Every structure is written in structure tokens, then in C-alpha cells.
């Protein structure tokens, strides 16, 4: 696929950014590398003149940016999302290196929309936000000083995307893709599976919402490790629905 088209399928999602200057810097970083789809989840201050100033010639990206209340909304319609984190989390996907993960991101972009997800300047990404992503990346740094400025982190990843998209060799094929495979499930389809699973587990008594423990994050981690296909989500939901029929439990959408 044309590298420019491939880059246009990558959403850069900034979760709860506090500083408008960093939003502008991220837009500039994206445009220099040929990315254009900026998303913001609950930005503290946007639009803002400071964002425009730092974006310089990339104010068009700010004007076209999408602002949402939740990460789920920003990821709707995507089939692969990569979390950017300076630290390994208890329950997130294993941290990979930028180059290898970007190769996979671009392979997925051949089939549809994908996302790079960045955290807040002070607290980074929450565990819940990370569990909405299927892969995680850390930018290798000085171990004693590992936190990059948000705009700088966006720049590094966008650069890697451009280098890989324009490399002469074709992007690697996403693991698990066979000629018989169905398209990757989208974020909203996988969320539908989680909701269905939770409803059935609550009904059977396997899951107690009063004492949730770590069951739901662990299941998200399990399914997040694999690239679920649409057919597979439908099979799993069909199994759940069949248990609901037997137990007379109203089906949750
Ligand atoms: N203090 C925060 C870091 C915030 S920096 C923390 O400890 O998590 C803002 C965002 O930039 C991070 O959430 C992450 O998305 C990205 N970032 C900064 N440094 C990074 C690194 N070394 N590797 C990957 N992402 C990084």
C-alpha cells in the first residue's frame, strides 16, 4: 500500500494532556512525519493559543483533531492500539521495542485503522487505559531518566512509522494472519465481548461485582495478547449466548 495512505490510518491519541503546548508539539511532530489524525481524550485546555503557537505550521491538524471524553470513543473503529509507557505495568501487555512494534502496527494498518496511545504528562497512562491496547512500547532511554516530554515521545514514534512505511521492504505480516483469517476485530467488537462475558460470569456467579478482584483486567490482558479476529469474537459470543439460552438469562448486547 502507498506509504502515505498507510500513515494516514494511524491515529495519535493523547490521553488527558495537561499542557496545551504539548498538544501543539505533538501536532507538529506528526505533520513532519506525514501523520495527520490527532485525537485527544479529555484535554485539560484545548483549543488554546499556546497549542497553536507550538504547532506552528501544523495548526491544520489541531483544527481537524477529534476530542472525546473516553479512550474507548477515541479507539472506536480501530483494530490495533499500542500504548506508550515508560514503565512496565502489573497487568499491561509486555513492553516491546518501538521498531518491532511499529512494523506490526503498519502491517495492521494495511487492513484498517490503528492507534498510538500516549499518557498524561504527570501520571502517564492509567492501567485501565493500557488494558484497552493490544501492545505496549517503551522508548529505550537512560534507565536513570526515562521519561520523555510528551511531544518528544510522539516525535520518536512518528519517525519510526515514517521510516518503516517508506522502507523498501514490505511490512511484516501480522502474526497469525492466514488466508482463511477473518478481519481483525475492532475495538468496539472486543468491548462487546468483554461486556457479554462479564454479564454471563455475573449471572453464573463466577464473577462477583461486589468483589471484582483482578478477574476482569486479567481477562483483558489474556485477550489483549492475541489479535482476535471478528469470526473468533462471534464464536465466543455465540458460546456465551448458548449458555444464556440454557440458563434463561437475558442476553446483554
Ligand atoms: N511520569 C509519567 C510519564 C509521562 S510522559 C510516567 O511515569 O508514566 C507522557 C507520555 O509520554 C507517557 O505517558 C508516554 O505515553 C510517553 N512517554 C514518555 N517517555 C516514554 C518512554 N521512555 N517510552 C514510551 N513512552 C514514553
Amino acid at each position: 500500500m502507498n506509504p502515505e495512505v498507510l500513515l494516514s490510518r494511524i491515529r495519535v491519541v493523547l490521553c488527558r494532556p495537561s499542557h496545551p503546548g504539548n498538544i501543539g508539539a505533538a501536532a507538529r511532530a506528526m505533520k513532519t512525519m506525514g501523520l495527520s489524525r490527532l485525537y485527544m481524550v479529555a484535554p485539560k485546555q484545548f483549543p488554546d493559543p499556546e497549542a497553536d503557537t507550538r504547532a506552528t505550521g501544523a495548526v491544520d491538524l489541531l483544527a481537524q483533531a477529534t476530542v472525546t471524553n473516553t479512550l474507548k470513543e477515541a479507539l472506536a473503529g480501530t483494530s490495533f492500539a499500542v500504548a506508550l509507557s515508560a514503565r512496565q505495568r502489573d497487568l499491561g501487555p509486555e513492553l516491546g521495542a518501538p521498531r518491532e512494534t511499529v512494523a506490526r502496527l503498519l502491517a495492521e494498518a494495511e487492513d484498517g485503522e490503528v492507534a498510538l496511545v500516549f499518557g498524561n504528562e504527570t501520571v502517564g497512562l492509567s492501567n485501565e487505559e493500557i488494558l484497552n491496547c493490544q501492545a505496549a512500547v517503551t522508548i529505550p532511554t537512560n534507565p536513570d531518566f526515562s521519561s520523555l516530554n510528551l511531544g518528544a515521545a510522539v516525535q520518536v514514534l512518528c519517525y519510526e512509522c515514517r521510516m518503516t512505511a517508506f522502507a523498501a521492504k514490505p511490512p511484516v505480516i501480522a502474526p497469525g494472519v492466514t488466508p482463511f483469517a477473518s478481519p481483525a476485530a475492532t475495538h468496539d467488537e472486543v468491548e462487546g465481548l468483554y461486556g457479554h462475558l462479564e454479564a454471563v460470569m455475573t449471572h453464573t456467579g463466577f464473577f462477583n461485582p461486589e468483589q471484582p478482584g483482578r478477574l476482569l483486567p486479567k481477562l483483558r490482558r489474556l485477550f489483549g495478547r492475541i489479535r482476535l479476529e471478528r469470526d473468533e469474537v462471534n464464536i465466543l459470543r455465540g458460546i456465551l449466548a448458548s449458555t444464556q439460552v440454557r440458563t434463561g438469562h437475558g442476553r446483554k448486547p
Side-chain angles (χ1 to χ4, degrees):
M1 184 180 286
N2 174 333
E4 267 136 25
V5 175
L6 219 48
L7 294 177
S8 75
R9 292 183 171 188
I10 305 171
R11 299 181 192 180
V12 169
V13 183
L14 307 181
C15 292
R16 297 167 287 112
S18 320
H19 302 296
N22 284 335
I23 299 173
R28 181 176 184 174
M30 289 168 64
K31 190 165 177 179
T32 54
M33 296 297 138
L35 281 78
S36 53
R37 314 266 312 279
L38 177 62
Y39 283 65
M40 280 164 269
V41 180
K44 194 168 173 202
Q45 243 171 287
F46 182 81
D48 190 274
E50 178 67 11
D52 292 352
T53 307
R54 291 284 299 279
T56 57
V59 281
D60 52 330
L61 264 67
L62 297 180
Q64 294 157 16
T66 305
V67 177
T68 66
N69 289 320
T70 64
L71 178 57
K72 288 192 195 329
E73 291 167 79
L75 294 180
T78 62
S79 54
F80 187 66
V82 177
L84 270 291
S85 174
R87 309 169 270 140
Q88 176 70 56
R89 309 307 181 92
D90 290 358
L91 280 172
E94 295 286 310
L95 286 176
R99 202 153 297 169
E100 287 70 34
T101 312
V102 160
R104 184 163 170 216
L105 181 88
L106 289 173
E108 299 282 352
E110 296 274 344
D111 295 328
E113 302 264 316
V114 298
L116 292 168
V117 181
F118 295 84
N120 166 272
E121 292 90 333
T122 316
V123 295
L125 287 168
S126 68
N127 286 329
E128 199 199 332
E129 284 164 341
I130 291 195
L131 284 169
N132 277 280
C133 301
Q134 291 74 42
V137 159
T138 193
I139 300 164
T141 55
N142 172 358
D144 299 329
F145 194 63
S146 63
S147 178
L148 277 78
N149 163 267
L150 176 57
V154 172
Q155 185 77 70
V156 170
L157 266 289
C158 291
Y159 170 80
E160 288 292 342
C161 288
R162 186 169 188 85
M163 289 302 106
T164 303
F166 280 88
K169 52 182 186 319
V172 293
I173 301 301
V177 171
T178 71
F180 307 107
S182 83
T186 61
H187 182 77
D188 17 333
E189 286 164 347
V190 178
E191 285 299 319
L193 170 66
Y194 292 147
H196 200 164
L197 199 52
E198 185 179 338
V200 171
M201 291 190 308
T202 307
H203 179 70
T204 60
F206 187 76
F207 174 64
N208 178 1
E210 307 289 318
Q211 288 178 323
R214 297 191 133 196
L215 178 62
L216 298 182
K218 279 196 177 270
L219 286 172
R220 277 180 178 266
R221 182 173 149 95
L222 165 67
F223 287 116
R225 264 205 304 276
I226 43 179
R227 174 185 177 277
L228 279 170
E229 294 172 6
R230 182 166 301 151
D231 284 354
E232 293 164 344
V233 168
N234 288 339
I235 291 168
L236 291 170
R237 293 199 63 173
I239 295 170
L240 292 171
S242 72
T243 69
Q244 288 176 301
V245 169
R246 281 290 168 125
T247 56
H249 173 215
R251 184 177 162 152
K252 191 180 163 184

